Amino acid sequence: MADNNAFTLDDLRSTLRQAAGVAEDVDLDGDIFDTDFEALGYESLALLEVGSLVERQYGISLDEVAINDARTPRAFIDAVNTQLAAVS
Amino acid sequence: MTGQVVVTGISVAAPNGLGAADWWPATCGGKNGIARITHFDPSAYPARLAGQVPGFQAEQYLSSRLLPQTDRVTRLSLVVADWALADADVTPANLPDFDMGVITASSAGGFEFGQGELRNLWSRGSQYVSAYQSFAWFYAVNSGQISIRHGLKGPSGVVVSEGAGGLDAVAQARRQIRKGTALIVTGGVDASICPWGWAAQLSTGKLSTSDEPTRAYLPFDRDARGYVPGEGGALLITEEARTARARGARIYGEIAGYGATMDPRPGSGRPPGLRAAIALALADAGMEPGGIDVVFADGAADPVADRTEAEAIGAVFGDRSVPVTVPKTMTGRLYSGAASLDLAAAFFTIRDGVIPPTMHIDPCRDYALDLVIGQPRRARVRAALVLARGSGGFNSAMVVRAAD
């Protein structure tokens, strides 16, 4: 898999904005790599919605358990990249 | 329990005014909020007029986090709840979570949101359906989102009884306050003026097909020809009276009496239940008919239903012996929002001594009603009766009165 196909933190930021919006007191552009999604204002339903948008945009099927267990952007990005690598 | 329950905050979203400060003077001034539908192109539909809330920009008030998960009705509800809490000078964050609840009425839930997701499902596939559809369409969603936004974790829920809901929810709030909850956000806001919602409403056959905004919805008029639907409603902050007084709250008045009945099965030969609902509300308030200074009528604009209501009012109060008004002639019928908006009008009528008018109608002489027509009427009002009916046989009546 080429690096330029990898799912990055910026990709996640734009997907979060598009699928679920941003809470009033959250700086999505800050250092959020290891911040809990809950602290960023995203509950499980928001992540379901974000996962669904990623699946449509990248033409992949995400591992539901991995997405459900992802508590931080780092974990979510890893789960997406694992799938991207598997299909490349 | 018979503890006193008072109203300390009011806000509204109505077709003739957004926010109480816009809406109340407009209502007393006879401003019409009924017009040709602009939310979608209505040309292909048999009914084309509605009351639409003007100038509501949700993104002005709500974060982008809330927009993907909310229908218009929920956005309106959230903003009106914010305003009502501010009007009551209540900061929920400073109060115990479980002492506050939300009980709203809804007749349609988030219809337009549901329409969009059904369109996604059938035109693009299930993977395009929003996860938020799981709750965004639901009747209870307005209560839920208000509860989450302000951390109100006490008794909460939704009442679904169509047009009667705007009173039934407030009655349920009163019950919960009497059981010990200090504060409940209550009332109703409905909004389903979208193609799918419109198709559902048209199926009743009760909508006016007139294209004239001042001739389409004419309750108690010989030319009554059905109703014009509208969107909006009102939310009230209700509190246990001693708690409210202890914190020095401004009090609009009290929820003094309530009665609700179901109509008998059609064709049963038994009388409609509205008169009994009025009698129950008066008894609950411990009042005689003579104590009521104004009646906010349901105003179905269906000849049979209008006669039923006129006769019920006449039977309880006597012919032409109490002022009767239908301000919803300026907004259309807002389903579960309608009677809550009338409650707001009733409290402002008590405060200002001005009864808002019934517009556009030439009253049918068969009804022995003292209708307040065309112009507001100055009157000392200490107690008001609000009537509401819902499709399916719901009748509700509520007495509100000055609390001082």
Side-chain angles (χ1 to χ4, degrees):
Chain A
M1 184 189 84
D3 273 354
N4 59 2
N5 284 337
F7 188 75
T8 67
L9 183 57
D10 276 340
D11 294 331
L12 177 62
R13 287 181 173 121
S14 80
T15 314
L16 285 166
R17 282 199 175 89
Q18 190 185 337
V22 186
E24 265 151 28
D25 46 358
V26 167
D27 176 17
L28 215 51
D29 292 319
D31 180 13
I32 60 165
F33 213 61
D34 292 304
T35 310
D36 229 76
F37 277 123
E38 210 171 290
L40 295 170
Y42 299 109
E43 77 294 315
S44 60
L45 212 55
L47 295 178
L48 193 66
E49 190 63 6
V50 170
S52 169
L53 184 56
V54 169
E55 288 185 334
R56 276 149 30 203
Q57 284 177 336
Y58 291 83
I60 55 172
S61 190
L62 292 171
D63 177 350
E64 267 182 47
V65 175
I67 292 297
N68 202 41
D69 289 349
R71 292 274 174 270
T72 62
R74 183 191 298 279
F76 190 96
I77 289 164
D78 285 350
V80 173
N81 282 324
T82 301
Q83 281 307 309
L84 283 172
V87 297
S88 63
Chain B
M1 280 288 291
T2 54
Q4 194 183 29
V5 174
V6 296
V7 171
T8 57
I10 295 175
S11 189
V12 315
N16 58 348
L18 177 59
D22 276 351
W23 163 77
W24 179 240
T27 297
C28 290
K31 183 178 176 185
N32 193 12
I34 293 172
R36 185 179 169 90
I37 290 172
T38 56
H39 289 351
F40 63 93
D41 177 4
S43 357
Y45 297 83
R48 292 168 292 272
L49 298 183
Q52 300 171 108
V53 174
F56 179 68
Q57 304 291 337
E59 59 278 10
Q60 267 185 273
Y61 311 105
L62 304 174
S63 83
S64 66
R65 189 71 192 77
L66 279 166
L67 298 179
Q69 54 178 293
T70 45
D71 183 82
R72 176 173 172 86
V73 73
T74 304
R75 297 171 183 179
L76 284 165
S77 298
L78 284 167
V79 172
V80 171
D82 283 0
W83 292 343
L85 285 164
D87 186 53
D89 198 18
V90 166
T91 307
N94 299 339
L95 299 166
D97 300 0
F98 290 96
D99 268 0
M100 302 174 287
V102 192
I103 297 168
T104 63
S106 176
S107 77
F111 236 77
E112 190 168 17
F113 196 102
Q115 175 185 317
E117 298 316 313
L118 277 173
R119 185 192 295 124
N120 283 339
L121 175 65
W122 294 113
S123 66
R124 306 171 78 189
S126 59
Q127 69 273 31
Y128 285 86
V129 176
S130 167
Y132 292 117
Q133 169 67 2
S134 56
F135 62 71
W137 74 273
F138 189 52
Y139 300 97
V141 71
N142 302 330
S143 287
Q145 289 281 20
I146 293 168
S147 161
I148 292 166
R149 183 172 177 82
H150 297 287
L152 316 177
K153 298 181 180 173
S156 295
V158 64
V159 179
V160 181
S161 49
E162 219 251 359
L167 298 183
D168 296 340
V170 177
Q172 177 65 4
R174 188 177 68 152
R175 285 183 203 107
Q176 292 295 358
I177 290 172
R178 285 176 170 177
K179 285 186 194 168
T181 301
L183 179 152
I184 306 257
V185 178
T186 187
V189 176
D190 255 325
S192 54
I193 302 172
C194 62
W196 186 33
W198 205 242
Q201 292 168 58
L202 283 164
S203 71
T204 65
K206 292 178 177 171
L207 270 59
S208 171
T209 54
S210 165
D211 277 322
E212 292 180 74
T214 59
R215 297 291 300 155
Y217 171 44
L218 301 170
F220 301 117
D221 189 309
R222 198 173 289 284
D223 291 337
R225 58 182 69 174
Y227 70 90
V228 173
E231 61 176 5
L235 293 175
L236 314 176
I237 308 303
T238 48
E239 294 186 65
E240 199 281 317
R242 276 166 305 179
T243 318
R245 290 198 174 95
R247 73 174 183 89
R250 176 264 330 273
I251 292 171
Y252 286 106
E254 72 167 308
I255 306 297
Y258 167 73
T261 62
M262 287 297 294
D263 279 333
R265 172 177 58 79
S268 71
R270 285 177 284 139
L274 184 61
R275 179 184 173 178
I278 298 171
L280 287 167
L282 287 169
D284 184 37
M287 292 176 73
E288 297 297 324
I292 298 293
D293 301 308
V294 63
V295 175
F296 288 78
D298 175 58
D302 163 272
V304 174
D306 282 355
R307 178 172 297 279
T308 296
E309 185 167 31
E311 288 177 355
I313 294 169
V316 173
F317 294 94
D319 287 356
R320 294 187 181 81
S321 52
V322 64
V324 175
T325 192
V326 193
K328 49 173 86 82
T329 45
M330 294 171 258
T331 62
R333 291 174 68 78
L334 314 182
Y335 299 100
S336 288
S340 296
L341 192 66
D342 278 345
L343 287 174
F347 283 115
F348 291 155
T349 294
I350 289 169
R351 181 190 66 188
D352 295 347
V354 177
I355 300 171
T358 307
M359 298 303 292
H360 316 136
I361 71 159
D362 177 15
C364 173
R365 303 292 168 227
D366 296 353
Y367 307 140
L369 298 175
D370 171 19
L371 280 155
V372 178
I373 294 173
Q375 297 288 330
R377 186 187 297 181
R378 292 219 147 268
R380 183 169 185 273
V381 174
R382 299 285 294 166
L385 173 71
V386 178
L387 303 181
R389 287 177 290 187
S391 175
F394 298 98
N395 301 292
S396 291
M398 187 165 272
V399 175
V400 301
R401 73 183 163 212
D404 46 20

